[in-house]
Amino acid sequence: MSNELAVVTGGGTGLGRSICHALADHGLTVLTVGRRAGPLEETRTHAPELITALAADVATRQGRDAIVDAVGERRLRALVHNAGVIEPIGPLAEVRLEDWRHSQAVNVEAPLFLTQALLDRLPGGRILHISSGAAHKALAGWGAYCTSKAALYMLYQTLGLELADRDVGVGSFRPGVVDTPMQTLIRRQSASEFPAVQQFVQLHSSGSLADPGQVADFAAWLLLDVSADRYGREEWSFTEPAHRAQWGG
């Protein structure tokens, strides 16, 4: 295997799987991480000579330690924090403490502390946070998700400042509304729990969801081709025409 490696969390399904495929198509060795071994093995079938799978829960210290062990002494070209949960969905006045803590553990704590654990493998490499429009706009019923994504955005900004002199690029990427299992879950919600659900049903029925393969190609371009001075300067968006024009995909 190559001595350089890309780690993608949440790589068993959806956008994470597509990012693993896109990076492997560029010749990178990829470690795909998720909680379930079965979907990860499906991800591997795209390029089994380049993609290895690790079943680990990034929200736990044991899971993060397992990732560090799997990376070993190899240098990281890319660390993609894609793992995320949208639940609990419902009013903040009714959210349970254990559900809130789980969402923050996956969406905020895991990216921070996995970055910490892998930092000595990252000089010359790049970190990419998979962000969301929910980081910048509140939605009723998505309080836990919006809060966690806003925190993840601030982590990107702060880490970018703190790691600039360590030759580690830190970027943030909003993929838009992508045709993934998370969107299927969103469409199943009741209007009482998530009042904006019909907007997402309409996006799906009108064929307006972004293709995960195209979005993953954009993410690979960010990680491999965008110049260092541009990479972390602003949050990138797949739906921003100016960003798409720079990409040219």
Side-chain angles (χ1 to χ4, degrees):
M1 294 196 304
S2 167
N3 198 44
E4 284 196 338
L5 182 68
V7 172
V8 181
T9 68
T13 61
L15 180 58
R17 172 178 288 177
S18 293
I19 291 174
C20 291
H21 293 173
L23 293 175
D25 288 345
H26 282 81
L28 267 70
T29 300
V30 179
L31 175 65
T32 180
V33 180
R35 290 183 298 108
R36 296 176 294 151
L40 294 171
E41 289 302 318
E42 291 181 31
T43 298
R44 282 195 69 236
T45 61
H46 178 79
E49 72 285 0
L50 289 173
I51 302 174
T52 57
L54 175 66
D57 185 351
V58 295
T60 68
R61 179 163 186 170
Q62 294 88 341
R64 295 189 292 270
D65 287 346
I67 297 169
V68 173
D69 289 343
V71 171
E73 297 305 314
R74 286 175 288 175
R75 190 177 80 85
L76 280 179
R77 179 78 177 274
L79 173 58
V80 182
H81 293 301
N82 171 75
V85 293
I86 197 166
E87 296 172 303
I89 297 174
L92 282 177
E94 300 172 9
V95 69
R96 299 190 309 167
L97 178 60
E98 57 267 35
D99 295 334
W100 173 271
R101 285 179 171 169
H102 180 256
S103 72
Q104 307 309 305
V106 176
N107 295 354
V108 184
E109 292 176 14
L112 172 58
F113 292 106
L114 185 57
T115 291
Q116 274 190 7
L118 292 172
L119 200 51
D120 63 350
R121 279 81 157 180
L122 274 163
R126 291 183 175 180
I127 301 164
L128 184 62
H129 290 185
I130 302 302
S131 184
S132 169
H136 310 285
K137 178 183 178 182
L139 284 171
W142 276 15
Y145 186 67
C146 292
T147 300
S148 67
K149 287 299 184 180
L152 186 67
Y153 177 76
M154 189 54 65
L155 284 181
Y156 139 71
Q157 290 192 310
T158 306
L159 284 170
L161 294 173
E162 295 178 349
L163 300 181
D165 61 353
R166 299 180 66 165
D167 192 26
V168 178
V170 185
S172 185
F173 172 45
R174 295 198 312 269
V177 185
V178 188
D179 192 6
T180 66
M182 183 180 283
Q183 285 298 313
T184 303
L185 174 63
I186 291 169
R187 294 193 299 273
R188 291 175 179 164
Q189 303 307 306
S190 67
S192 61
E193 295 294 306
F194 179 44
V197 62
Q198 197 55 41
Q199 298 176 26
F200 289 82
V201 172
Q202 180 59 33
L203 285 170
H204 179 257
S205 62
S206 65
S208 300
L209 301 186
D211 175 75
Q214 286 190 330
V215 178
D217 287 342
F218 190 103
W221 170 72
L222 288 176
L223 288 164
L224 303 176
D225 296 326
V226 171
S227 64
D229 66 313
R230 289 166 54 209
Y231 176 68
R233 186 186 304 164
E234 62 180 324
E235 184 174 65
W236 294 85
S237 171
F238 185 73
T239 60
E240 170 57 51
H243 294 172
R244 292 285 291 269
Q246 293 177 63
W247 172 45

